[in-house]
Amino acid sequence: MILVTTAGKVGAEAARLLARRGQPVRLLVRDPAKAAALAEAGVDVAAGDLTAPDTIDAAMRGVSTVILVSPAVPGHEIGVIDSAARHAVSHVVKITSKASADSPIPRRRDQTRIEDALIASGLGYTLLRNNAYSQNLLMLAPSVARTSSFGSAAGDGRIGMVDSRDVAAVAAEIAVAPGAHAGRTYWPSGPAAVTYGEAAAEISRVIGRPVTYHPLTFEQQKQDMVDVGVPDHIAAMNAQAVSLFAEGDSDWVTDDVPSILGRPARSVRDFVTDHADAFR
Ligand SMILES: NC(=O)c1ccc[n+]([C@@H]2O[C@H](COP(=O)([O-])OP(=O)(O)OC[C@H]3O[C@@H](n4cnc5c(N)ncnc54)[C@H](OP(=O)(O)O)[C@@H]3O)[C@@H](O)[C@H]2O)c1
């Protein structure tokens, strides 16, 4: 049994892909009603909460491999790692980012704490240090739909955006046969590093009208996120990450996705084409 720890972008898709392959897969969710379609597709939906250790232990029964993905609060994910160790789980695929102990971004420092705890646990593990998700472009979609323009503090920085559906596919692939990936760290990215200006051109092409991109300051970027309901401290972290794009922080590309999946990684063009309605 493979346990997927949350039903967000990566977790829900990983569970769907595993069920489609006929793999026994369990998905921990706070609200099972939200996962009704996945239950229908054959996923064993377990009601639980990463803040409630007893629900993690209950979901861990009979599990051999865990796909550890969540908003990466260290106490929550380390609780999952501890539970996995108690339940003789053999492998954990950890969804992470550009983790580093001295990152200016608190979430990346938290990811380091979690990665370190996983490595120290003695469990088999694989780290997926993903580049920024193409799905972040969806946050810009309401502005594109309303004003045919969007702004960002990313400047002209290039970003090797990876589609979170590909991250899920990579995690699922590794979870099915973890042996060859034990102790490995991968850096999943898309096929090319693109600027937000180039993303605007892709959106224009797909929706058939000009879309313009304008630079924002850090403060404007943060305020835009707060305005759509993102909590202040998360907005600050996200705006910080976007500002780092401008400095080339995400200007990297690897062939980890195609080499693990045996097919090309989805491009920004693929992503925008698949989500054209949101931008229209
Ligand atoms: N976004 C990026 O560009 C990016 C890039 C690289 C790496 N990452 C990493 O990707 C991970 C996030 O993955 P994601 O994008 O798939 O997440 P996501 O789409 O933001 O979804 C988060 C999920 O976690 C669930 N959740 C939150 N708290 C929970 C709790 N206490 N118990 C159970 N479930 C809980 C939420 O459930 P509800 O529906 O109940 O709220 C939601 O389904 C993080 O580690 C992040 O650092 C992100």
Side-chain angles (χ1 to χ4, degrees):
M1 175 69 81
I2 297 166
L3 173 67
V4 183
T5 57
T6 57
K9 292 183 289 298
V10 172
E13 176 69 0
R16 190 186 69 79
L17 291 171
L18 287 164
R20 202 174 65 183
R21 289 170 72 150
Q23 293 286 327
V25 54
R26 184 175 296 146
L27 183 63
L28 185 87
V29 295
R30 289 197 281 207
D31 178 3
K34 284 193 195 168
L38 289 168
E40 190 76 14
V43 175
D44 177 16
V45 174
D49 193 310
L50 296 177
T51 61
D54 54 323
T55 65
I56 299 172
D57 282 340
M60 204 63 76
R61 290 201 191 99
V63 167
S64 57
T65 301
V66 173
I67 296 177
L68 178 54
V69 55
S70 82
V73 175
H76 299 175
E77 290 208 3
I78 292 170
V80 173
I81 294 164
D82 290 346
S83 175
R86 285 195 303 276
H87 287 82
V89 165
S90 61
H91 197 93
V92 176
V93 183
K94 157 78 181 129
I95 303 298
T96 177
S97 57
K98 195 175 175 184
S100 108
D102 55 6
S103 172
I105 302 176
R107 193 192 293 118
R108 292 186 183 174
R109 298 198 296 273
D110 288 347
Q111 293 284 27
T112 297
R113 282 182 58 197
I114 299 164
E115 290 183 5
D116 288 350
L118 176 56
I119 293 164
S121 72
L123 295 163
Y125 70 88
T126 307
L127 304 179
L128 301 185
R129 286 189 177 158
N130 307 296
N131 210 326
Y133 298 161
S134 305
Q135 275 68 9
N136 296 337
L137 293 172
L138 286 177
M139 285 188 266
L140 310 168
S143 171
V144 172
R146 226 178 29 248
T147 67
S148 293
S149 74
F150 67 87
S152 163
D156 294 324
R158 294 196 166 276
I159 309 151
M161 289 178 224
V162 61
D163 195 306
S164 64
R165 293 171 296 178
D166 284 346
V167 173
V170 167
E173 189 66 34
I174 295 171
V176 168
H181 306 285
R184 305 273 314 258
T185 297
Y186 296 106
W187 295 83
S189 75
V194 298
T195 64
Y196 271 26
E198 290 166 353
E202 289 296 353
I203 297 169
S204 302
R205 194 187 59 79
V206 166
I207 69 175
R209 64 172 196 270
V211 171
T212 55
Y213 165 60
H214 53 274
L216 297 180
T217 64
F218 168 84
E219 281 305 331
Q220 288 168 325
Q221 176 79 69
K222 183 182 156 202
Q223 192 57 46
D224 273 9
M225 295 184 189
V226 169
D227 288 348
V228 295
V230 178
D232 199 77
H233 70 288
I234 306 274
M237 244 189 316
N238 291 349
Q240 220 173 356
V242 173
S243 301
L244 283 178
F245 290 157
E247 296 168 25
D249 179 69
S250 291
D251 186 1
W252 53 270
V253 165
T254 69
D255 64 1
D256 286 343
V257 171
S259 60
I260 292 169
L261 297 181
R263 60 148 173 90
R266 291 175 169 100
S267 64
V268 168
R269 175 170 294 187
D270 295 331
F271 175 81
V272 172
T273 303
D274 291 348
H275 296 83
D277 284 348
F279 294 105
R280 271 192 199 104

mmCIF file with all atom_site columns, all heavy atoms in Angstrom, residues 250-272:
data_model
loop_
_atom_site.group_PDB
_atom_site.id
_atom_site.type_symbol
_atom_site.label_atom_id
_atom_site.label_alt_id
_atom_site.label_comp_id
_atom_site.label_asym_id
_atom_site.label_entity_id
_atom_site.label_seq_id
_atom_site.pdbx_PDB_ins_code
_atom_site.Cartn_x
_atom_site.Cartn_y
_atom_site.Cartn_z
_atom_site.occupancy
_atom_site.B_iso_or_equiv
_atom_site.pdbx_formal_charge
_atom_site.auth_seq_id
_atom_site.auth_comp_id
_atom_site.auth_asym_id
_atom_site.auth_atom_id
_atom_site.pdbx_PDB_model_num
ATOM 1   N N   . SER A 1 250 ? 15.659 30.501 -9.917  1.00 0.00 ? 250 SER A N   1
ATOM 2   C CA  . SER A 1 250 ? 14.991 29.309 -10.469 1.00 0.00 ? 250 SER A CA  1
ATOM 3   C C   . SER A 1 250 ? 15.382 29.054 -11.918 1.00 0.00 ? 250 SER A C   1
ATOM 4   O O   . SER A 1 250 ? 14.698 28.301 -12.627 1.00 0.00 ? 250 SER A O   1
ATOM 5   C CB  . SER A 1 250 ? 13.472 29.467 -10.356 1.00 0.00 ? 250 SER A CB  1
ATOM 6   O OG  . SER A 1 250 ? 13.108 29.400 -8.998  1.00 0.00 ? 250 SER A OG  1
ATOM 7   N N   . ASP A 1 251 ? 16.476 29.685 -12.326 1.00 0.00 ? 251 ASP A N   1
ATOM 8   C CA  . ASP A 1 251 ? 16.931 29.541 -13.719 1.00 0.00 ? 251 ASP A CA  1
ATOM 9   C C   . ASP A 1 251 ? 17.755 28.260 -13.845 1.00 0.00 ? 251 ASP A C   1
ATOM 10  O O   . ASP A 1 251 ? 18.974 28.309 -13.994 1.00 0.00 ? 251 ASP A O   1
ATOM 11  C CB  . ASP A 1 251 ? 17.738 30.782 -14.117 1.00 0.00 ? 251 ASP A CB  1
ATOM 12  C CG  . ASP A 1 251 ? 18.101 30.759 -15.596 1.00 0.00 ? 251 ASP A CG  1
ATOM 13  O OD1 . ASP A 1 251 ? 17.716 29.804 -16.296 1.00 0.00 ? 251 ASP A OD1 1
ATOM 14  O OD2 . ASP A 1 251 ? 18.769 31.715 -16.044 1.00 0.00 ? 251 ASP A OD2 1
ATOM 15  N N   . TRP A 1 252 ? 17.073 27.141 -13.685 1.00 0.00 ? 252 TRP A N   1
ATOM 16  C CA  . TRP A 1 252 ? 17.748 25.855 -13.865 1.00 0.00 ? 252 TRP A CA  1
ATOM 17  C C   . TRP A 1 252 ? 16.769 24.824 -14.419 1.00 0.00 ? 252 TRP A C   1
ATOM 18  O O   . TRP A 1 252 ? 15.567 24.886 -14.162 1.00 0.00 ? 252 TRP A O   1
ATOM 19  C CB  . TRP A 1 252 ? 18.395 25.359 -12.570 1.00 0.00 ? 252 TRP A CB  1
ATOM 20  C CG  . TRP A 1 252 ? 17.497 25.305 -11.367 1.00 0.00 ? 252 TRP A CG  1
ATOM 21  C CD1 . TRP A 1 252 ? 17.295 26.308 -10.450 1.00 0.00 ? 252 TRP A CD1 1
ATOM 22  C CD2 . TRP A 1 252 ? 16.671 24.207 -10.938 1.00 0.00 ? 252 TRP A CD2 1
ATOM 23  N NE1 . TRP A 1 252 ? 16.399 25.899 -9.486  1.00 0.00 ? 252 TRP A NE1 1
ATOM 24  C CE2 . TRP A 1 252 ? 16.007 24.621 -9.756  1.00 0.00 ? 252 TRP A CE2 1
ATOM 25  C CE3 . TRP A 1 252 ? 16.423 22.921 -11.431 1.00 0.00 ? 252 TRP A CE3 1
ATOM 26  C CZ2 . TRP A 1 252 ? 15.111 23.787 -9.062  1.00 0.00 ? 252 TRP A CZ2 1
ATOM 27  C CZ3 . TRP A 1 252 ? 15.537 22.095 -10.732 1.00 0.00 ? 252 TRP A CZ3 1
ATOM 28  C CH2 . TRP A 1 252 ? 14.899 22.535 -9.571  1.00 0.00 ? 252 TRP A CH2 1
ATOM 29  N N   . VAL A 1 253 ? 17.329 23.913 -15.189 1.00 0.00 ? 253 VAL A N   1
ATOM 30  C CA  . VAL A 1 253 ? 16.552 22.880 -15.876 1.00 0.00 ? 253 VAL A CA  1
ATOM 31  C C   . VAL A 1 253 ? 17.335 21.579 -15.765 1.00 0.00 ? 253 VAL A C   1
ATOM 32  O O   . VAL A 1 253 ? 18.562 21.595 -15.866 1.00 0.00 ? 253 VAL A O   1
ATOM 33  C CB  . VAL A 1 253 ? 16.368 23.285 -17.364 1.00 0.00 ? 253 VAL A CB  1
ATOM 34  C CG1 . VAL A 1 253 ? 15.898 22.127 -18.208 1.00 0.00 ? 253 VAL A CG1 1
ATOM 35  C CG2 . VAL A 1 253 ? 15.384 24.443 -17.481 1.00 0.00 ? 253 VAL A CG2 1
ATOM 36  N N   . THR A 1 254 ? 16.628 20.483 -15.528 1.00 0.00 ? 254 THR A N   1
ATOM 37  C CA  . THR A 1 254 ? 17.283 19.161 -15.525 1.00 0.00 ? 254 THR A CA  1
ATOM 38  C C   . THR A 1 254 ? 16.493 18.226 -16.440 1.00 0.00 ? 254 THR A C   1
ATOM 39  O O   . THR A 1 254 ? 15.380 18.573 -16.876 1.00 0.00 ? 254 THR A O   1
ATOM 40  C CB  . THR A 1 254 ? 17.286 18.522 -14.116 1.00 0.00 ? 254 THR A CB  1
ATOM 41  O OG1 . THR A 1 254 ? 15.926 18.161 -13.782 1.00 0.00 ? 254 THR A OG1 1
ATOM 42  C CG2 . THR A 1 254 ? 17.842 19.470 -13.063 1.00 0.00 ? 254 THR A CG2 1
ATOM 43  N N   . ASP A 1 255 ? 17.046 17.044 -16.686 1.00 0.00 ? 255 ASP A N   1
ATOM 44  C CA  . ASP A 1 255 ? 16.256 16.062 -17.455 1.00 0.00 ? 255 ASP A CA  1
ATOM 45  C C   . ASP A 1 255 ? 15.713 14.961 -16.540 1.00 0.00 ? 255 ASP A C   1
ATOM 46  O O   . ASP A 1 255 ? 15.437 13.850 -16.968 1.00 0.00 ? 255 ASP A O   1
ATOM 47  C CB  . ASP A 1 255 ? 17.063 15.489 -18.624 1.00 0.00 ? 255 ASP A CB  1
ATOM 48  C CG  . ASP A 1 255 ? 18.270 14.697 -18.144 1.00 0.00 ? 255 ASP A CG  1
ATOM 49  O OD1 . ASP A 1 255 ? 18.457 14.582 -16.910 1.00 0.00 ? 255 ASP A OD1 1
ATOM 50  O OD2 . ASP A 1 255 ? 19.011 14.176 -18.999 1.00 0.00 ? 255 ASP A OD2 1
ATOM 51  N N   . ASP A 1 256 ? 15.534 15.285 -15.251 1.00 0.00 ? 256 ASP A N   1
ATOM 52  C CA  . ASP A 1 256 ? 15.034 14.274 -14.310 1.00 0.00 ? 256 ASP A CA  1
ATOM 53  C C   . ASP A 1 256 ? 13.628 13.778 -14.683 1.00 0.00 ? 256 ASP A C   1
ATOM 54  O O   . ASP A 1 256 ? 13.346 12.583 -14.585 1.00 0.00 ? 256 ASP A O   1
ATOM 55  C CB  . ASP A 1 256 ? 15.024 14.834 -12.876 1.00 0.00 ? 256 ASP A CB  1
ATOM 56  C CG  . ASP A 1 256 ? 16.433 14.920 -12.287 1.00 0.00 ? 256 ASP A CG  1
ATOM 57  O OD1 . ASP A 1 256 ? 17.353 14.277 -12.834 1.00 0.00 ? 256 ASP A OD1 1
ATOM 58  O OD2 . ASP A 1 256 ? 16.610 15.637 -11.281 1.00 0.00 ? 256 ASP A OD2 1
ATOM 59  N N   . VAL A 1 257 ? 12.743 14.697 -15.101 1.00 0.00 ? 257 VAL A N   1
ATOM 60  C CA  . VAL A 1 257 ? 11.370 14.251 -15.424 1.00 0.00 ? 257 VAL A CA  1
ATOM 61  C C   . VAL A 1 257 ? 11.392 13.283 -16.609 1.00 0.00 ? 257 VAL A C   1
ATOM 62  O O   . VAL A 1 257 ? 10.887 12.154 -16.494 1.00 0.00 ? 257 VAL A O   1
ATOM 63  C CB  . VAL A 1 257 ? 10.418 15.455 -15.669 1.00 0.00 ? 257 VAL A CB  1
ATOM 64  C CG1 . VAL A 1 257 ? 9.075  14.982 -16.221 1.00 0.00 ? 257 VAL A CG1 1
ATOM 65  C CG2 . VAL A 1 257 ? 10.226 16.241 -14.375 1.00 0.00 ? 257 VAL A CG2 1
ATOM 66  N N   . PRO A 1 258 ? 11.987 13.665 -17.766 1.00 0.00 ? 258 PRO A N   1
ATOM 67  C CA  . PRO A 1 258 ? 11.985 12.701 -18.878 1.00 0.00 ? 258 PRO A CA  1
ATOM 68  C C   . PRO A 1 258 ? 12.757 11.424 -18.568 1.00 0.00 ? 258 PRO A C   1
ATOM 69  O O   . PRO A 1 258 ? 12.364 10.345 -19.014 1.00 0.00 ? 258 PRO A O   1
ATOM 70  C CB  . PRO A 1 258 ? 12.613 13.464 -20.046 1.00 0.00 ? 258 PRO A CB  1
ATOM 71  C CG  . PRO A 1 258 ? 13.195 14.701 -19.472 1.00 0.00 ? 258 PRO A CG  1
ATOM 72  C CD  . PRO A 1 258 ? 12.504 14.981 -18.183 1.00 0.00 ? 258 PRO A CD  1
ATOM 73  N N   . SER A 1 259 ? 13.832 11.536 -17.783 1.00 0.00 ? 259 SER A N   1
ATOM 74  C CA  . SER A 1 259 ? 14.582 10.287 -17.565 1.00 0.00 ? 259 SER A CA  1
ATOM 75  C C   . SER A 1 259 ? 13.825 9.344  -16.647 1.00 0.00 ? 259 SER A C   1
ATOM 76  O O   . SER A 1 259 ? 13.943 8.130  -16.795 1.00 0.00 ? 259 SER A O   1
ATOM 77  C CB  . SER A 1 259 ? 16.022 10.544 -17.127 1.00 0.00 ? 259 SER A CB  1
ATOM 78  O OG  . SER A 1 259 ? 16.029 11.251 -15.939 1.00 0.00 ? 259 SER A OG  1
ATOM 79  N N   . ILE A 1 260 ? 13.012 9.855  -15.740 1.00 0.00 ? 260 ILE A N   1
ATOM 80  C CA  . ILE A 1 260 ? 12.250 8.954  -14.858 1.00 0.00 ? 260 ILE A CA  1
ATOM 81  C C   . ILE A 1 260 ? 10.955 8.492  -15.537 1.00 0.00 ? 260 ILE A C   1
ATOM 82  O O   . ILE A 1 260 ? 10.552 7.339  -15.396 1.00 0.00 ? 260 ILE A O   1
ATOM 83  C CB  . ILE A 1 260 ? 11.968 9.642  -13.503 1.00 0.00 ? 260 ILE A CB  1
ATOM 84  C CG1 . ILE A 1 260 ? 13.289 9.810  -12.743 1.00 0.00 ? 260 ILE A CG1 1
ATOM 85  C CG2 . ILE A 1 260 ? 10.965 8.832  -12.657 1.00 0.00 ? 260 ILE A CG2 1
ATOM 86  C CD1 . ILE A 1 260 ? 13.226 10.691 -11.512 1.00 0.00 ? 260 ILE A CD1 1
ATOM 87  N N   . LEU A 1 261 ? 10.323 9.393  -16.305 1.00 0.00 ? 261 LEU A N   1
ATOM 88  C CA  . LEU A 1 261 ? 9.021  9.041  -16.897 1.00 0.00 ? 261 LEU A CA  1
ATOM 89  C C   . LEU A 1 261 ? 9.124  8.452  -18.299 1.00 0.00 ? 261 LEU A C   1
ATOM 90  O O   . LEU A 1 261 ? 8.152  7.873  -18.798 1.00 0.00 ? 261 LEU A O   1
ATOM 91  C CB  . LEU A 1 261 ? 8.106  10.273 -16.937 1.00 0.00 ? 261 LEU A CB  1
ATOM 92  C CG  . LEU A 1 261 ? 7.739  10.877 -15.580 1.00 0.00 ? 261 LEU A CG  1
ATOM 93  C CD1 . LEU A 1 261 ? 6.804  12.068 -15.771 1.00 0.00 ? 261 LEU A CD1 1
ATOM 94  C CD2 . LEU A 1 261 ? 7.100  9.831  -14.657 1.00 0.00 ? 261 LEU A CD2 1
ATOM 95  N N   . GLY A 1 262 ? 10.278 8.638  -18.965 1.00 0.00 ? 262 GLY A N   1
ATOM 96  C CA  . GLY A 1 262 ? 10.401 8.120  -20.333 1.00 0.00 ? 262 GLY A CA  1
ATOM 97  C C   . GLY A 1 262 ? 9.563  8.892  -21.331 1.00 0.00 ? 262 GLY A C   1
ATOM 98  O O   . GLY A 1 262 ? 9.190  8.364  -22.389 1.00 0.00 ? 262 GLY A O   1
ATOM 99  N N   . ARG A 1 263 ? 9.237  10.126 -21.018 1.00 0.00 ? 263 ARG A N   1
ATOM 100 C CA  . ARG A 1 263 ? 8.524  11.021 -21.954 1.00 0.00 ? 263 ARG A CA  1
ATOM 101 C C   . ARG A 1 263 ? 8.912  12.449 -21.587 1.00 0.00 ? 263 ARG A C   1
ATOM 102 O O   . ARG A 1 263 ? 9.388  12.696 -20.474 1.00 0.00 ? 263 ARG A O   1
ATOM 103 C CB  . ARG A 1 263 ? 7.004  10.836 -21.837 1.00 0.00 ? 263 ARG A CB  1
ATOM 104 C CG  . ARG A 1 263 ? 6.458  11.150 -20.445 1.00 0.00 ? 263 ARG A CG  1
ATOM 105 C CD  . ARG A 1 263 ? 5.052  11.726 -20.518 1.00 0.00 ? 263 ARG A CD  1
ATOM 106 N NE  . ARG A 1 263 ? 4.403  11.896 -19.225 1.00 0.00 ? 263 ARG A NE  1
ATOM 107 C CZ  . ARG A 1 263 ? 4.480  12.988 -18.480 1.00 0.00 ? 263 ARG A CZ  1
ATOM 108 N NH1 . ARG A 1 263 ? 5.215  14.023 -18.860 1.00 0.00 ? 263 ARG A NH1 1
ATOM 109 N NH2 . ARG A 1 263 ? 3.845  13.087 -17.330 1.00 0.00 ? 263 ARG A NH2 1
ATOM 110 N N   . PRO A 1 264 ? 8.714  13.406 -22.514 1.00 0.00 ? 264 PRO A N   1
ATOM 111 C CA  . PRO A 1 264 ? 9.122  14.784 -22.205 1.00 0.00 ? 264 PRO A CA  1
ATOM 112 C C   . PRO A 1 264 ? 8.323  15.369 -21.040 1.00 0.00 ? 264 PRO A C   1
ATOM 113 O O   . PRO A 1 264 ? 7.159  14.992 -20.815 1.00 0.00 ? 264 PRO A O   1
ATOM 114 C CB  . PRO A 1 264 ? 8.803  15.552 -23.496 1.00 0.00 ? 264 PRO A CB  1
ATOM 115 C CG  . PRO A 1 264 ? 8.612  14.511 -24.550 1.00 0.00 ? 264 PRO A CG  1
ATOM 116 C CD  . PRO A 1 264 ? 8.152  13.266 -23.872 1.00 0.00 ? 264 PRO A CD  1
ATOM 117 N N   . ALA A 1 265 ? 8.962  16.296 -20.319 1.00 0.00 ? 265 ALA A N   1
ATOM 118 C CA  . ALA A 1 265 ? 8.232  17.058 -19.295 1.00 0.00 ? 265 ALA A CA  1
ATOM 119 C C   . ALA A 1 265 ? 7.264  18.011 -19.986 1.00 0.00 ? 265 ALA A C   1
ATOM 120 O O   . ALA A 1 265 ? 7.533  18.484 -21.094 1.00 0.00 ? 265 ALA A O   1
ATOM 121 C CB  . ALA A 1 265 ? 9.227  17.853 -18.446 1.00 0.00 ? 265 ALA A CB  1
ATOM 122 N N   . ARG A 1 266 ? 6.132  18.297 -19.333 1.00 0.00 ? 266 ARG A N   1
ATOM 123 C CA  . ARG A 1 266 ? 5.183  19.261 -19.910 1.00 0.00 ? 266 ARG A CA  1
ATOM 124 C C   . ARG A 1 266 ? 5.815  20.660 -19.908 1.00 0.00 ? 266 ARG A C   1
ATOM 125 O O   . ARG A 1 266 ? 6.408  21.074 -18.914 1.00 0.00 ? 266 ARG A O   1
ATOM 126 C CB  . ARG A 1 266 ? 3.894  19.290 -19.093 1.00 0.00 ? 266 ARG A CB  1
ATOM 127 C CG  . ARG A 1 266 ? 3.047  18.016 -19.211 1.00 0.00 ? 266 ARG A CG  1
ATOM 128 C CD  . ARG A 1 266 ? 1.868  18.121 -18.259 1.00 0.00 ? 266 ARG A CD  1
ATOM 129 N NE  . ARG A 1 266 ? 0.862  17.082 -18.456 1.00 0.00 ? 266 ARG A NE  1
ATOM 130 C CZ  . ARG A 1 266 ? 0.765  15.992 -17.706 1.00 0.00 ? 266 ARG A CZ  1
ATOM 131 N NH1 . ARG A 1 266 ? 1.646  15.748 -16.736 1.00 0.00 ? 266 ARG A NH1 1
ATOM 132 N NH2 . ARG A 1 266 ? -0.206 15.115 -17.916 1.00 0.00 ? 266 ARG A NH2 1
ATOM 133 N N   . SER A 1 267 ? 5.616  21.363 -21.004 1.00 0.00 ? 267 SER A N   1
ATOM 134 C CA  . SER A 1 267 ? 6.159  22.726 -21.136 1.00 0.00 ? 267 SER A CA  1
ATOM 135 C C   . SER A 1 267 ? 5.133  23.743 -20.639 1.00 0.00 ? 267 SER A C   1
ATOM 136 O O   . SER A 1 267 ? 3.970  23.408 -20.380 1.00 0.00 ? 267 SER A O   1
ATOM 137 C CB  . SER A 1 267 ? 6.461  22.990 -22.609 1.00 0.00 ? 267 SER A CB  1
ATOM 138 O OG  . SER A 1 267 ? 5.241  22.962 -23.329 1.00 0.00 ? 267 SER A OG  1
ATOM 139 N N   . VAL A 1 268 ? 5.572  25.006 -20.564 1.00 0.00 ? 268 VAL A N   1
ATOM 140 C CA  . VAL A 1 268 ? 4.628  26.076 -20.220 1.00 0.00 ? 268 VAL A CA  1
ATOM 141 C C   . VAL A 1 268 ? 3.544  26.167 -21.286 1.00 0.00 ? 268 VAL A C   1
ATOM 142 O O   . VAL A 1 268 ? 2.367  26.374 -20.983 1.00 0.00 ? 268 VAL A O   1
ATOM 143 C CB  . VAL A 1 268 ? 5.383  27.419 -20.052 1.00 0.00 ? 268 VAL A CB  1
ATOM 144 C CG1 . VAL A 1 268 ? 4.419  28.597 -19.988 1.00 0.00 ? 268 VAL A CG1 1
ATOM 145 C CG2 . VAL A 1 268 ? 6.233  27.372 -18.791 1.00 0.00 ? 268 VAL A CG2 1
ATOM 146 N N   . ARG A 1 269 ? 3.929  25.948 -22.543 1.00 0.00 ? 269 ARG A N   1
ATOM 147 C CA  . ARG A 1 269 ? 2.915  25.959 -23.614 1.00 0.00 ? 269 ARG A CA  1
ATOM 148 C C   . ARG A 1 269 ? 1.873  24.862 -23.369 1.00 0.00 ? 269 ARG A C   1
ATOM 149 O O   . ARG A 1 269 ? 0.670  25.107 -23.487 1.00 0.00 ? 269 ARG A O   1
ATOM 150 C CB  . ARG A 1 269 ? 3.576  25.759 -24.980 1.00 0.00 ? 269 ARG A CB  1
ATOM 151 C CG  . ARG A 1 269 ? 2.567  25.643 -26.106 1.00 0.00 ? 269 ARG A CG  1
ATOM 152 C CD  . ARG A 1 269 ? 3.200  25.689 -27.463 1.00 0.00 ? 269 ARG A CD  1
ATOM 153 N NE  . ARG A 1 269 ? 3.795  27.004 -27.715 1.00 0.00 ? 269 ARG A NE  1
ATOM 154 C CZ  . ARG A 1 269 ? 4.302  27.375 -28.881 1.00 0.00 ? 269 ARG A CZ  1
ATOM 155 N NH1 . ARG A 1 269 ? 4.301  26.550 -29.905 1.00 0.00 ? 269 ARG A NH1 1
ATOM 156 N NH2 . ARG A 1 269 ? 4.815  28.582 -29.034 1.00 0.00 ? 269 ARG A NH2 1
ATOM 157 N N   . ASP A 1 270 ? 2.321  23.663 -23.007 1.00 0.00 ? 270 ASP A N   1
ATOM 158 C CA  . ASP A 1 270 ? 1.376  22.579 -22.703 1.00 0.00 ? 270 ASP A CA  1
ATOM 159 C C   . ASP A 1 270 ? 0.448  23.009 -21.559 1.00 0.00 ? 270 ASP A C   1
ATOM 160 O O   . ASP A 1 270 ? -0.764 22.810 -21.610 1.00 0.00 ? 270 ASP A O   1
ATOM 161 C CB  . ASP A 1 270 ? 2.118  21.304 -22.247 1.00 0.00 ? 270 ASP A CB  1
ATOM 162 C CG  . ASP A 1 270 ? 2.982  20.706 -23.338 1.00 0.00 ? 270 ASP A CG  1
ATOM 163 O OD1 . ASP A 1 270 ? 2.654  20.875 -24.520 1.00 0.00 ? 270 ASP A OD1 1
ATOM 164 O OD2 . ASP A 1 270 ? 4.005  20.056 -22.990 1.00 0.00 ? 270 ASP A OD2 1
ATOM 165 N N   . PHE A 1 271 ? 1.058  23.589 -20.523 1.00 0.00 ? 271 PHE A N   1
ATOM 166 C CA  . PHE A 1 271 ? 0.275  23.971 -19.345 1.00 0.00 ? 271 PHE A CA  1
ATOM 167 C C   . PHE A 1 271 ? -0.793 24.997 -19.706 1.00 0.00 ? 271 PHE A C   1
ATOM 168 O O   . PHE A 1 271 ? -1.958 24.857 -19.344 1.00 0.00 ? 271 PHE A O   1
ATOM 169 C CB  . PHE A 1 271 ? 1.198  24.535 -18.240 1.00 0.00 ? 271 PHE A CB  1
ATOM 170 C CG  . PHE A 1 271 ? 0.417  25.038 -17.067 1.00 0.00 ? 271 PHE A CG  1
ATOM 171 C CD1 . PHE A 1 271 ? -0.047 24.158 -16.103 1.00 0.00 ? 271 PHE A CD1 1
ATOM 172 C CD2 . PHE A 1 271 ? 0.076  26.380 -16.958 1.00 0.00 ? 271 PHE A CD2 1
ATOM 173 C CE1 . PHE A 1 271 ? -0.829 24.613 -15.042 1.00 0.00 ? 271 PHE A CE1 1
ATOM 174 C CE2 . PHE A 1 271 ? -0.700 26.838 -15.904 1.00 0.00 ? 271 PHE A CE2 1
ATOM 175 C CZ  . PHE A 1 271 ? -1.144 25.950 -14.942 1.00 0.00 ? 271 PHE A CZ  1
ATOM 176 N N   . VAL A 1 272 ? -0.370 26.037 -20.433 1.00 0.00 ? 272 VAL A N   1
ATOM 177 C CA  . VAL A 1 272 ? -1.311 27.118 -20.775 1.00 0.00 ? 272 VAL A CA  1
ATOM 178 C C   . VAL A 1 272 ? -2.411 26.580 -21.690 1.00 0.00 ? 272 VAL A C   1
ATOM 179 O O   . VAL A 1 272 ? -3.593 26.927 -21.544 1.00 0.00 ? 272 VAL A O   1
ATOM 180 C CB  . VAL A 1 272 ? -0.550 28.298 -21.418 1.00 0.00 ? 272 VAL A CB  1
ATOM 181 C CG1 . VAL A 1 272 ? -1.511 29.336 -21.956 1.00 0.00 ? 272 VAL A CG1 1
ATOM 182 C CG2 . VAL A 1 272 ? 0.402  28.935 -20.398 1.00 0.00 ? 272 VAL A CG2 1
#
